[in-house]
Amino acid sequence: FFFLYFPETHGISFRIQISVKELLDTDILLNLLFHLPVNYPSTLPDISVNSDQLTRAQCMDVKDKLLEQAKKHLSEPMVHDLILWVQQHLKDVVKQSATVCNKKTTLSEGTEDGIWMLLLHLDHMRAKAKYVKTVEKWASNLRLTGRLMFMSKIILILLQGDRSSIKEYLILQKTSKVDVDSSRKKCKEKMMSVLCETEVQSQHKRFQTFEVKEYSALEELQKEFETAGLTTLFSEFVPPLLK
């Protein structure tokens, strides 16, 4: 479908929804938003990719690959070619992307050793005090360092440690009764999403302890990530949570 509109900034924006067949035997519905600047096609279009069936990391990978393709078509109309390309190659991009975010920076893929990092987003905590205590206990038992971060309604857990401990933490988080439901009955965490799981790189600083912190503004939270050398992680995963 095409939805054409002309924003205040010049140029044209339009959304295209395509269905890509035979990906793990299901149809993937892909929403592509193109913004063509005034001097298109001698300037690359802005592209954003969304799909309910793909993770945010996979959507970012599809977008990166589309921009790589766009560079090959610079100065000639390219939208039609890009749509054909994504219909033919989505399967490969998603396969490569897997669930580990940003494999481009993973030096030794598939290794169990090395320090790993996990970023989780929680939707809410009803029994906050008990929940926080549980997370602190798990982090301590599994020798994981990092932060449990609260900023307005955003709740993030950032962990660093052995890959096996990170995996064990994820199992605990998904299978234990950590919170209470609306009728105050104990319940498991159903509203958690794994934003990123990747190997810690040399530019990332190691957290020495596990701390629970509250931030009054987004800038404070951003500074926490920047201090840890995780600016890219912040900009890729945190701002979308505010939408």
Side-chain angles (χ1 to χ4, degrees):
F1 314 124
F2 287 74
F3 300 103
L4 277 165
Y5 57 100
F6 297 80
E8 309 76 75
T9 55
H10 304 297
I12 300 177
S13 294
F14 55 90
R15 191 184 301 279
I16 296 174
Q17 192 179 56
I18 58 171
S19 173
V20 183
K21 300 248 181 259
E22 294 168 19
L23 188 71
L24 310 172
D25 301 328
T26 56
D27 287 2
I28 296 285
L29 267 186
L30 213 55
N31 282 306
L32 304 172
L33 180 66
F34 289 92
H35 173 72
L36 310 184
V38 182
N39 42 2
Y40 168 85
S42 49
T43 306
L44 290 177
D46 280 331
I47 305 171
S48 71
V49 178
N50 284 299
S51 170
D52 290 343
Q53 290 114 312
L54 300 180
T55 64
R56 193 176 288 130
Q58 287 170 330
C59 287
M60 291 294 284
D61 279 351
V62 173
K63 174 188 162 171
D64 289 347
K65 290 281 190 293
L66 276 172
L67 286 170
E68 273 173 36
Q69 289 304 310
K71 283 175 191 157
K72 296 177 186 172
H73 293 283
L74 202 55
S75 78
E76 54 186 77
M78 62 186 84
V79 173
H80 182 63
D81 291 318
L82 294 179
I83 291 164
L84 289 179
W85 186 90
V86 82
Q87 285 177 315
Q88 287 161 2
H89 295 91
L90 182 68
K91 211 173 187 169
D92 308 326
V93 178
V94 172
K95 258 190 205 145
Q96 280 170 2
S97 168
T99 48
V100 174
C101 80
N102 213 351
K103 272 212 171 167
K104 293 186 280 284
T105 59
T106 303
L107 301 172
S108 44
E109 287 182 23
T111 55
E112 286 298 319
D113 38 329
I115 299 299
W116 279 68
M117 178 165 60
L118 179 70
L119 181 62
L120 300 175
H121 172 242
L122 302 181
D123 187 72
H124 61 274
M125 283 184 182
R126 284 202 177 90
K128 186 175 170 180
K130 176 182 169 287
Y131 203 135
V132 169
K133 268 204 180 74
T134 307
V135 171
E136 284 180 310
K137 189 178 87 186
W138 289 341
S140 158
N141 290 350
L142 294 165
R143 295 203 297 283
L144 296 170
T145 61
R147 298 283 182 268
L148 168 52
M149 303 178 272
F150 295 94
M151 199 287 296
S152 182
K153 288 187 174 149
I154 292 178
I155 307 168
L156 296 170
I157 302 177
L158 180 60
L159 296 168
Q160 291 178 345
D162 293 342
R163 193 173 188 191
S164 55
S165 302
I166 293 268
K167 282 182 172 170
E168 208 170 314
Y169 179 92
L170 263 177
I171 293 167
L172 286 168
Q173 180 79 59
K174 286 174 181 167
T175 57
S176 311
K177 292 190 172 178
V178 279
D179 206 0
V180 295
D181 60 19
S182 48
S183 53
R184 310 304 289 175
K185 279 202 191 94
K186 287 183 179 178
C187 67
K188 292 176 186 172
E189 178 56 76
K190 295 188 183 74
M191 306 280 282
M192 175 192 82
S193 47
V194 177
L195 298 180
C196 179
E197 187 180 345
T198 186
E199 196 165 5
V200 170
Q201 304 302 310
S202 52
Q203 72 270 25
H204 303 148
K205 295 197 175 51
R206 290 290 312 280
F207 289 108
Q208 297 307 309
T209 54
F210 182 79
E211 291 175 39
V212 179
K213 294 182 107 175
E214 306 238 358
Y215 307 87
S216 53
L218 191 64
E219 292 74 32
E220 281 181 32
L221 184 60
Q222 188 169 358
K223 200 167 270 178
E224 180 80 75
F225 276 81
E226 282 171 2
T227 312
L230 300 172
T231 312
T232 342
L233 191 71
F234 177 87
S235 54
E236 187 172 338
F237 295 105
V238 183
L241 300 174
L242 293 165
K243 288 176 184 166

